[in-house]
Amino acid sequence: LAKTTQPISMDSYEGQEVNITCSHNNIATNDYITWYQQFPSQGPRFIIQGYKTKVTNEVASLFIPADRKSSTLSLPRVSLSDTAVYYCLVGPYGGATNKLIFGTGTLLAVQP
Amino acid sequence: NAGVTQTPKFRVLKTGQSMTLLCAQDMNHEYMYWYRQDPGMGLRLIHYSVGEGTTAKGEVPDGYNVSRLKKQNFLLGLESAAPSQTSVYFCASSYGSGQYQETQYFGPGTRLLVL
């Protein structure tokens, strides 16, 4: 499974757009990129998943360049409630198991 | 739907004691998982199950046993608790299409302190 590298922490202010970049230099052809969000004292929650180019949902956007060696999670106009740890995961789509490999994630702190 | 629930929410054990953590899901998911989360370590997979009556080892299985007697329940047992097992334990489930990276739904966690 491809190893991911993310910043340990980021700071932002309410109303700003936040971009969290994940590096995955060893990503394989059949790997997908998935982001989870974890609030304090809660389990992780799925945010978004993509393979290439851009994916957008009601919560976030995911940008993946052509070489797929990195990806960027974009959170538009963050609020205090977006303070959480964000995990980038990379793994194959397909197979008999569904094991997730979580790194240490990025702690996003949103200030007023 | 309650989603994924975990019992108990918090527990204190003495070294050598045993206990069972219960995970229940009401989404009719085939796959279920147990993770532990330690400070600065992210989540690590302990055991998982791809269906009723089946279990498999994850990344850190030593010291734990699991059982999946019913599709909706996944039990995690500690036969002889050790201080190194102090952690937050999360249960998760997924639909079970056999496709990696399908969304996993997590429970609220169980905080375990072993003295």
Side-chain angles (χ1 to χ4, degrees), chain B residues 4-60:
Chain B
V4 179
T5 58
Q6 295 182 229
T7 308
K9 290 184 171 55
F10 178 69
R11 183 75 182 269
V12 179
L13 288 179
K14 294 182 179 179
T15 297
Q17 287 185 320
S18 64
M19 78 163 294
T20 300
L21 282 68
L22 172 62
C23 175
Q25 52 93 4
D26 61 2
M27 296 173 283
N28 201 34
H29 284 170
E30 286 293 335
Y31 292 7
M32 297 187 74
Y33 318 81
W34 275 108
Y35 295 87
R36 62 176 288 174
Q37 184 172 36
D38 303 299
M41 296 288 291
L43 282 84
R44 293 181 292 171
L45 182 65
I46 304 172
H47 286 280
Y48 63 99
S49 168
V50 298
E52 181 178 319
T54 71
T55 63
K57 294 180 180 180
E59 183 184 359
V60 288

Short mmCIF file of all heavy atoms in Angstrom, two decimals, chain B residues 4-60:
data_model
loop_
_atom_site.label_atom_id
_atom_site.label_comp_id
_atom_site.label_asym_id
_atom_site.label_seq_id
_atom_site.Cartn_x
_atom_site.Cartn_y
_atom_site.Cartn_z
N VAL B 4 -23.33 2.54 13.67
CA VAL B 4 -22.42 1.67 14.41
C VAL B 4 -22.38 2.12 15.86
O VAL B 4 -22.11 3.29 16.13
CB VAL B 4 -21.00 1.71 13.81
CG1 VAL B 4 -20.07 0.80 14.62
CG2 VAL B 4 -21.03 1.29 12.35
N THR B 5 -22.67 1.21 16.77
CA THR B 5 -22.64 1.53 18.19
C THR B 5 -21.60 0.66 18.89
O THR B 5 -21.33 -0.47 18.46
CB THR B 5 -24.00 1.33 18.85
OG1 THR B 5 -24.42 -0.03 18.66
CG2 THR B 5 -25.05 2.25 18.25
N GLN B 6 -21.03 1.18 19.95
CA GLN B 6 -20.01 0.47 20.71
C GLN B 6 -20.35 0.49 22.19
O GLN B 6 -20.80 1.51 22.71
CB GLN B 6 -18.63 1.08 20.49
CG GLN B 6 -18.12 0.98 19.07
CD GLN B 6 -16.73 1.55 18.93
OE1 GLN B 6 -16.45 2.34 18.03
NE2 GLN B 6 -15.82 1.15 19.80
N THR B 7 -20.09 -0.64 22.83
CA THR B 7 -20.33 -0.77 24.27
C THR B 7 -19.13 -1.43 24.91
O THR B 7 -18.64 -2.45 24.41
CB THR B 7 -21.57 -1.64 24.52
OG1 THR B 7 -22.66 -1.14 23.77
CG2 THR B 7 -21.93 -1.64 25.99
N PRO B 8 -18.60 -0.93 26.04
CA PRO B 8 -18.98 0.31 26.72
C PRO B 8 -18.29 1.52 26.09
O PRO B 8 -17.51 1.39 25.16
CB PRO B 8 -18.45 0.08 28.14
CG PRO B 8 -17.21 -0.72 27.91
CD PRO B 8 -17.51 -1.63 26.75
N LYS B 9 -18.57 2.69 26.59
CA LYS B 9 -17.91 3.91 26.12
C LYS B 9 -16.57 4.12 26.80
O LYS B 9 -15.64 4.69 26.23
CB LYS B 9 -18.79 5.12 26.37
CG LYS B 9 -20.04 5.19 25.50
CD LYS B 9 -20.80 6.47 25.76
CE LYS B 9 -21.92 6.64 24.75
NZ LYS B 9 -22.85 5.50 24.69
N PHE B 10 -16.47 3.66 28.03
CA PHE B 10 -15.24 3.86 28.81
C PHE B 10 -15.11 2.71 29.81
O PHE B 10 -16.11 2.26 30.37
CB PHE B 10 -15.28 5.19 29.55
CG PHE B 10 -14.07 5.44 30.41
CD1 PHE B 10 -12.84 5.69 29.82
CD2 PHE B 10 -14.16 5.43 31.79
CE1 PHE B 10 -11.72 5.92 30.61
CE2 PHE B 10 -13.05 5.65 32.58
CZ PHE B 10 -11.83 5.90 31.99
N ARG B 11 -13.87 2.26 30.00
CA ARG B 11 -13.65 1.16 30.93
C ARG B 11 -12.25 1.27 31.51
O ARG B 11 -11.30 1.62 30.80
CB ARG B 11 -13.82 -0.16 30.22
CG ARG B 11 -13.69 -1.39 31.10
CD ARG B 11 -14.92 -1.62 31.96
NE ARG B 11 -14.75 -2.78 32.83
CZ ARG B 11 -15.10 -4.01 32.50
NH1 ARG B 11 -15.65 -4.25 31.32
NH2 ARG B 11 -14.91 -5.00 33.34
N VAL B 12 -12.16 0.94 32.79
CA VAL B 12 -10.85 0.87 33.46
C VAL B 12 -10.63 -0.58 33.89
O VAL B 12 -11.51 -1.17 34.53
CB VAL B 12 -10.79 1.80 34.70
CG1 VAL B 12 -9.43 1.66 35.36
CG2 VAL B 12 -11.02 3.24 34.29
N LEU B 13 -9.51 -1.12 33.53
CA LEU B 13 -9.17 -2.49 33.89
C LEU B 13 -7.86 -2.52 34.67
O LEU B 13 -7.02 -1.63 34.50
CB LEU B 13 -8.98 -3.35 32.63
CG LEU B 13 -10.18 -3.75 31.80
CD1 LEU B 13 -9.72 -4.58 30.61
CD2 LEU B 13 -11.19 -4.53 32.63
N LYS B 14 -7.70 -3.57 35.44
CA LYS B 14 -6.40 -3.82 36.07
C LYS B 14 -5.65 -4.82 35.20
O LYS B 14 -6.25 -5.64 34.48
CB LYS B 14 -6.59 -4.39 37.47
CG LYS B 14 -7.23 -3.41 38.45
CD LYS B 14 -7.34 -4.04 39.83
CE LYS B 14 -7.97 -3.05 40.82
NZ LYS B 14 -8.11 -3.65 42.17
N THR B 15 -4.35 -4.73 35.24
CA THR B 15 -3.52 -5.66 34.46
C THR B 15 -3.92 -7.10 34.76
O THR B 15 -4.05 -7.48 35.93
CB THR B 15 -2.04 -5.44 34.80
OG1 THR B 15 -1.66 -4.12 34.41
CG2 THR B 15 -1.16 -6.43 34.06
N GLY B 16 -4.09 -7.88 33.69
CA GLY B 16 -4.47 -9.27 33.84
C GLY B 16 -5.95 -9.55 33.75
O GLY B 16 -6.35 -10.70 33.54
N GLN B 17 -6.77 -8.53 33.90
CA GLN B 17 -8.21 -8.73 33.78
C GLN B 17 -8.60 -8.92 32.32
O GLN B 17 -7.86 -8.57 31.41
CB GLN B 17 -8.97 -7.54 34.38
CG GLN B 17 -8.94 -7.47 35.89
CD GLN B 17 -9.80 -6.34 36.44
OE1 GLN B 17 -9.83 -5.23 35.88
NE2 GLN B 17 -10.49 -6.61 37.55
N SER B 18 -9.78 -9.47 32.14
CA SER B 18 -10.29 -9.67 30.79
C SER B 18 -11.55 -8.85 30.57
O SER B 18 -12.22 -8.45 31.53
CB SER B 18 -10.59 -11.15 30.55
OG SER B 18 -11.63 -11.57 31.42
N MET B 19 -11.84 -8.59 29.32
CA MET B 19 -13.08 -7.90 29.00
C MET B 19 -13.42 -8.08 27.52
O MET B 19 -12.56 -8.49 26.74
CB MET B 19 -12.99 -6.41 29.32
CG MET B 19 -12.23 -5.57 28.34
SD MET B 19 -12.59 -3.81 28.51
CE MET B 19 -14.31 -3.75 28.01
N THR B 20 -14.64 -7.79 27.20
CA THR B 20 -15.11 -7.87 25.82
C THR B 20 -15.75 -6.55 25.42
O THR B 20 -16.58 -6.02 26.14
CB THR B 20 -16.14 -9.00 25.65
OG1 THR B 20 -15.53 -10.24 26.00
CG2 THR B 20 -16.62 -9.06 24.20
N LEU B 21 -15.33 -6.05 24.26
CA LEU B 21 -15.93 -4.86 23.68
C LEU B 21 -16.92 -5.31 22.61
O LEU B 21 -16.60 -6.17 21.78
CB LEU B 21 -14.87 -3.96 23.04
CG LEU B 21 -14.03 -3.08 23.95
CD1 LEU B 21 -13.11 -3.93 24.83
CD2 LEU B 21 -13.20 -2.10 23.12
N LEU B 22 -18.10 -4.70 22.64
CA LEU B 22 -19.14 -5.08 21.69
C LEU B 22 -19.35 -3.99 20.65
O LEU B 22 -19.42 -2.81 20.98
CB LEU B 22 -20.46 -5.32 22.42
CG LEU B 22 -21.70 -5.53 21.54
CD1 LEU B 22 -21.53 -6.78 20.68
CD2 LEU B 22 -22.96 -5.59 22.37
N CYS B 23 -19.42 -4.41 19.42
CA CYS B 23 -19.74 -3.51 18.32
C CYS B 23 -20.98 -4.03 17.62
O CYS B 23 -21.08 -5.23 17.34
CB CYS B 23 -18.58 -3.44 17.33
SG CYS B 23 -18.93 -2.45 15.86
N ALA B 24 -21.92 -3.15 17.36
CA ALA B 24 -23.14 -3.54 16.66
C ALA B 24 -23.42 -2.55 15.54
O ALA B 24 -23.23 -1.35 15.70
CB ALA B 24 -24.31 -3.57 17.64
N GLN B 25 -23.89 -3.09 14.40
CA GLN B 25 -24.26 -2.22 13.28
C GLN B 25 -25.62 -2.67 12.74
O GLN B 25 -25.91 -3.87 12.69
CB GLN B 25 -23.17 -2.24 12.18
CG GLN B 25 -22.76 -3.61 11.69
CD GLN B 25 -23.50 -4.10 10.47
OE1 GLN B 25 -24.33 -3.39 9.88
NE2 GLN B 25 -23.22 -5.34 10.07
N ASP B 26 -26.40 -1.68 12.32
CA ASP B 26 -27.75 -1.98 11.83
C ASP B 26 -27.92 -1.64 10.35
O ASP B 26 -29.01 -1.36 9.88
CB ASP B 26 -28.80 -1.23 12.67
CG ASP B 26 -28.64 0.28 12.60
OD1 ASP B 26 -27.74 0.77 11.88
OD2 ASP B 26 -29.41 0.98 13.29
N MET B 27 -26.79 -1.65 9.62
CA MET B 27 -26.81 -1.31 8.20
C MET B 27 -26.70 -2.53 7.31
O MET B 27 -26.54 -2.41 6.09
CB MET B 27 -25.66 -0.33 7.91
CG MET B 27 -25.81 1.00 8.64
SD MET B 27 -24.40 2.09 8.47
CE MET B 27 -23.26 1.35 9.62
N ASN B 28 -26.75 -3.72 7.91
CA ASN B 28 -26.65 -4.97 7.17
C ASN B 28 -25.33 -5.09 6.41
O ASN B 28 -25.27 -5.68 5.32
CB ASN B 28 -27.83 -5.14 6.20
CG ASN B 28 -28.04 -6.60 5.81
OD1 ASN B 28 -27.82 -7.51 6.61
ND2 ASN B 28 -28.46 -6.82 4.58
N HIS B 29 -24.28 -4.54 6.98
CA HIS B 29 -22.97 -4.59 6.34
C HIS B 29 -22.32 -5.95 6.53
O HIS B 29 -22.45 -6.57 7.57
CB HIS B 29 -22.06 -3.50 6.92
CG HIS B 29 -22.36 -2.14 6.42
ND1 HIS B 29 -21.80 -1.00 6.96
CD2 HIS B 29 -23.14 -1.72 5.39
CE1 HIS B 29 -22.23 0.05 6.29
NE2 HIS B 29 -23.06 -0.36 5.34
N GLU B 30 -21.60 -6.38 5.49
CA GLU B 30 -20.90 -7.66 5.55
C GLU B 30 -19.58 -7.55 6.32
O GLU B 30 -19.20 -8.42 7.06
CB GLU B 30 -20.60 -8.15 4.15
CG GLU B 30 -21.80 -8.69 3.40
CD GLU B 30 -22.35 -9.97 4.00
OE1 GLU B 30 -21.60 -10.70 4.66
OE2 GLU B 30 -23.57 -10.24 3.85
N TYR B 31 -18.84 -6.45 6.09
CA TYR B 31 -17.51 -6.31 6.66
C TYR B 31 -17.54 -5.50 7.95
O TYR B 31 -18.25 -4.49 8.05
CB TYR B 31 -16.58 -5.59 5.67
CG TYR B 31 -16.24 -6.35 4.41
CD1 TYR B 31 -16.82 -7.56 4.09
CD2 TYR B 31 -15.29 -5.83 3.53
CE1 TYR B 31 -16.48 -8.24 2.93
CE2 TYR B 31 -14.94 -6.49 2.37
CZ TYR B 31 -15.55 -7.70 2.07
OH TYR B 31 -15.22 -8.36 0.92
N MET B 32 -16.75 -5.95 8.91
CA MET B 32 -16.59 -5.20 10.15
C MET B 32 -15.14 -5.22 10.58
O MET B 32 -14.39 -6.14 10.23
CB MET B 32 -17.50 -5.77 11.26
CG MET B 32 -18.99 -5.66 10.94
SD MET B 32 -20.07 -6.15 12.29
CE MET B 32 -19.90 -4.74 13.40
N TYR B 33 -14.73 -4.19 11.33
CA TYR B 33 -13.33 -3.99 11.66
C TYR B 33 -13.18 -3.48 13.09
O TYR B 33 -14.05 -2.79 13.61
CB TYR B 33 -12.70 -2.92 10.74
CG TYR B 33 -13.09 -3.02 9.30
CD1 TYR B 33 -14.30 -2.51 8.86
CD2 TYR B 33 -12.26 -3.63 8.37
CE1 TYR B 33 -14.68 -2.60 7.53
CE2 TYR B 33 -12.63 -3.72 7.03
CZ TYR B 33 -13.84 -3.21 6.63
OH TYR B 33 -14.22 -3.30 5.31
N TRP B 34 -12.03 -3.80 13.67
CA TRP B 34 -11.65 -3.20 14.95
C TRP B 34 -10.30 -2.50 14.77
O TRP B 34 -9.34 -3.10 14.28
CB TRP B 34 -11.51 -4.25 16.06
CG TRP B 34 -12.79 -4.57 16.74
CD1 TRP B 34 -13.52 -5.72 16.63
CD2 TRP B 34 -13.50 -3.75 17.68
NE1 TRP B 34 -14.64 -5.66 17.42
CE2 TRP B 34 -14.64 -4.46 18.08
CE3 TRP B 34 -13.27 -2.48 18.23
CZ2 TRP B 34 -15.57 -3.94 18.99
CZ3 TRP B 34 -14.18 -1.97 19.12
CH2 TRP B 34 -15.32 -2.70 19.50
N TYR B 35 -10.25 -1.23 15.19
CA TYR B 35 -9.03 -0.43 15.15
C TYR B 35 -8.69 0.03 16.56
O TYR B 35 -9.57 0.16 17.42
CB TYR B 35 -9.20 0.83 14.29
CG TYR B 35 -9.43 0.61 12.83
CD1 TYR B 35 -10.72 0.41 12.33
CD2 TYR B 35 -8.38 0.64 11.93
CE1 TYR B 35 -10.94 0.23 10.98
CE2 TYR B 35 -8.59 0.47 10.57
CZ TYR B 35 -9.88 0.26 10.11
OH TYR B 35 -10.09 0.09 8.76
N ARG B 36 -7.42 0.35 16.77
CA ARG B 36 -7.04 1.06 17.96
C ARG B 36 -6.34 2.35 17.56
O ARG B 36 -5.67 2.40 16.52
CB ARG B 36 -6.15 0.21 18.87
CG ARG B 36 -4.83 -0.22 18.30
CD ARG B 36 -3.99 -0.97 19.33
NE ARG B 36 -3.47 -0.07 20.35
CZ ARG B 36 -2.80 -0.48 21.44
NH1 ARG B 36 -2.60 -1.78 21.64
NH2 ARG B 36 -2.35 0.39 22.32
N GLN B 37 -6.53 3.37 18.37
CA GLN B 37 -5.91 4.67 18.09
C GLN B 37 -5.13 5.13 19.30
O GLN B 37 -5.69 5.30 20.39
CB GLN B 37 -6.96 5.71 17.71
CG GLN B 37 -6.36 7.04 17.30
CD GLN B 37 -7.38 8.00 16.73
OE1 GLN B 37 -8.52 8.05 17.17
NE2 GLN B 37 -6.99 8.75 15.71
N ASP B 38 -3.86 5.35 19.09
CA ASP B 38 -2.98 5.83 20.14
C ASP B 38 -2.45 7.21 19.74
O ASP B 38 -2.33 7.50 18.55
CB ASP B 38 -1.82 4.85 20.34
CG ASP B 38 -2.31 3.46 20.66
OD1 ASP B 38 -2.98 3.31 21.70
OD2 ASP B 38 -2.04 2.54 19.88
N PRO B 39 -2.11 8.04 20.70
CA PRO B 39 -1.62 9.39 20.39
C PRO B 39 -0.46 9.36 19.42
O PRO B 39 0.51 8.63 19.61
CB PRO B 39 -1.20 9.92 21.76
CG PRO B 39 -2.04 9.16 22.74
CD PRO B 39 -2.18 7.79 22.14
N GLY B 40 -0.58 10.14 18.35
CA GLY B 40 0.49 10.25 17.38
C GLY B 40 0.68 9.04 16.48
O GLY B 40 1.67 8.96 15.74
N MET B 41 -0.27 8.08 16.54
CA MET B 41 -0.09 6.84 15.77
C MET B 41 -1.16 6.65 14.70
O MET B 41 -1.10 5.69 13.96
CB MET B 41 -0.12 5.64 16.71
CG MET B 41 1.01 5.60 17.70
SD MET B 41 2.57 5.20 16.94
CE MET B 41 2.32 3.50 16.49
N GLY B 42 -2.15 7.52 14.64
CA GLY B 42 -3.24 7.26 13.71
C GLY B 42 -4.02 6.04 14.17
O GLY B 42 -3.94 5.63 15.33
N LEU B 43 -4.79 5.44 13.27
CA LEU B 43 -5.55 4.23 13.59
C LEU B 43 -4.84 3.01 13.02
O LEU B 43 -4.33 3.05 11.90
CB LEU B 43 -6.96 4.30 12.99
CG LEU B 43 -7.98 5.16 13.73
CD1 LEU B 43 -7.85 6.61 13.32
CD2 LEU B 43 -9.39 4.65 13.46
N ARG B 44 -4.84 1.94 13.77
CA ARG B 44 -4.24 0.70 13.31
C ARG B 44 -5.25 -0.43 13.42
O ARG B 44 -5.94 -0.57 14.42
CB ARG B 44 -2.99 0.38 14.14
CG ARG B 44 -1.85 1.36 13.93
CD ARG B 44 -0.63 0.97 14.77
NE ARG B 44 -0.88 1.15 16.19
CZ ARG B 44 -0.05 0.73 17.14
NH1 ARG B 44 1.06 0.08 16.80
NH2 ARG B 44 -0.33 0.93 18.41
N LEU B 45 -5.29 -1.25 12.37
CA LEU B 45 -6.27 -2.32 12.28
C LEU B 45 -5.85 -3.50 13.15
O LEU B 45 -4.74 -4.01 13.04
CB LEU B 45 -6.42 -2.76 10.82
CG LEU B 45 -7.43 -3.85 10.53
CD1 LEU B 45 -8.84 -3.35 10.84
CD2 LEU B 45 -7.33 -4.28 9.09
N ILE B 46 -6.77 -3.96 14.00
CA ILE B 46 -6.48 -5.08 14.90
C ILE B 46 -6.93 -6.40 14.25
O ILE B 46 -6.14 -7.31 14.02
CB ILE B 46 -7.20 -4.90 16.25
CG1 ILE B 46 -6.82 -3.56 16.89
CG2 ILE B 46 -6.85 -6.05 17.20
CD1 ILE B 46 -7.63 -3.23 18.13
N HIS B 47 -8.21 -6.50 14.01
CA HIS B 47 -8.82 -7.66 13.35
C HIS B 47 -9.95 -7.15 12.47
O HIS B 47 -10.47 -6.07 12.68
CB HIS B 47 -9.39 -8.65 14.36
CG HIS B 47 -8.39 -9.46 15.10
ND1 HIS B 47 -7.77 -10.58 14.57
CD2 HIS B 47 -7.91 -9.35 16.37
CE1 HIS B 47 -6.96 -11.11 15.46
NE2 HIS B 47 -7.01 -10.38 16.56
N TYR B 48 -10.34 -8.00 11.52
CA TYR B 48 -11.49 -7.64 10.72
C TYR B 48 -12.26 -8.90 10.34
O TYR B 48 -11.78 -10.03 10.54
CB TYR B 48 -11.09 -6.85 9.47
CG TYR B 48 -10.22 -7.60 8.49
CD1 TYR B 48 -10.76 -8.19 7.36
CD2 TYR B 48 -8.84 -7.69 8.68
CE1 TYR B 48 -9.98 -8.86 6.46
CE2 TYR B 48 -8.05 -8.37 7.79
CZ TYR B 48 -8.61 -8.95 6.68
OH TYR B 48 -7.83 -9.63 5.79
N SER B 49 -13.45 -8.70 9.80
CA SER B 49 -14.31 -9.83 9.42
C SER B 49 -15.00 -9.49 8.10
O SER B 49 -15.53 -8.39 7.93
CB SER B 49 -15.36 -10.07 10.49
OG SER B 49 -16.35 -10.96 10.03
N VAL B 50 -14.97 -10.43 7.18
CA VAL B 50 -15.63 -10.22 5.89
C VAL B 50 -16.97 -10.92 5.81
O VAL B 50 -17.57 -11.00 4.73
CB VAL B 50 -14.72 -10.64 4.71
CG1 VAL B 50 -13.45 -9.78 4.70
CG2 VAL B 50 -14.38 -12.11 4.78
N GLY B 51 -17.44 -11.43 6.92
CA GLY B 51 -18.76 -12.05 6.94
C GLY B 51 -18.99 -12.80 8.24
O GLY B 51 -18.04 -13.09 8.99
N GLU B 52 -20.25 -13.13 8.48
CA GLU B 52 -20.60 -13.88 9.68
C GLU B 52 -19.78 -15.17 9.77
O GLU B 52 -19.68 -15.91 8.80
CB GLU B 52 -22.10 -14.21 9.64
CG GLU B 52 -22.62 -14.95 10.83
CD GLU B 52 -24.13 -15.19 10.72
OE1 GLU B 52 -24.84 -14.27 10.28
OE2 GLU B 52 -24.56 -16.30 11.05
N GLY B 53 -19.21 -15.39 10.94
CA GLY B 53 -18.44 -16.60 11.15
C GLY B 53 -17.01 -16.55 10.68
O GLY B 53 -16.27 -17.54 10.83
N THR B 54 -16.57 -15.42 10.11
CA THR B 54 -15.20 -15.31 9.62
C THR B 54 -14.49 -14.17 10.31
O THR B 54 -15.10 -13.14 10.63
CB THR B 54 -15.15 -15.04 8.11
OG1 THR B 54 -15.60 -13.71 7.86
CG2 THR B 54 -16.02 -16.02 7.34
N THR B 55 -13.21 -14.34 10.58
CA THR B 55 -12.37 -13.28 11.13
C THR B 55 -10.97 -13.40 10.53
O THR B 55 -10.59 -14.47 10.05
CB THR B 55 -12.27 -13.35 12.67
OG1 THR B 55 -11.63 -14.57 13.04
CG2 THR B 55 -13.63 -13.25 13.33
N ALA B 56 -10.23 -12.31 10.58
CA ALA B 56 -8.87 -12.31 10.07
C ALA B 56 -8.04 -11.30 10.84
O ALA B 56 -8.59 -10.34 11.40
CB ALA B 56 -8.86 -11.97 8.58
N LYS B 57 -6.73 -11.51 10.85
CA LYS B 57 -5.83 -10.63 11.58
C LYS B 57 -5.53 -9.38 10.77
O LYS B 57 -5.39 -9.43 9.55
CB LYS B 57 -4.53 -11.36 11.90
CG LYS B 57 -4.70 -12.52 12.86
CD LYS B 57 -3.36 -13.20 13.14
CE LYS B 57 -3.53 -14.36 14.11
NZ LYS B 57 -2.23 -15.04 14.39
N GLY B 58 -5.38 -8.28 11.50
CA GLY B 58 -4.98 -7.04 10.89
C GLY B 58 -3.52 -6.75 11.16
O GLY B 58 -2.70 -7.66 11.22
N GLU B 59 -3.23 -5.50 11.40
CA GLU B 59 -1.85 -5.04 11.57
C GLU B 59 -1.29 -5.34 12.96
O GLU B 59 -0.13 -5.68 13.11
CB GLU B 59 -1.81 -3.54 11.31
CG GLU B 59 -0.43 -2.90 11.36
CD GLU B 59 -0.51 -1.39 11.18
OE1 GLU B 59 -1.63 -0.85 10.99
OE2 GLU B 59 0.54 -0.72 11.23
N VAL B 60 -2.14 -5.24 14.00
CA VAL B 60 -1.69 -5.41 15.38
C VAL B 60 -2.61 -6.35 16.14
O VAL B 60 -3.29 -5.95 17.09
CB VAL B 60 -1.57 -4.04 16.09
CG1 VAL B 60 -0.40 -3.24 15.58
CG2 VAL B 60 -2.88 -3.23 15.93
#
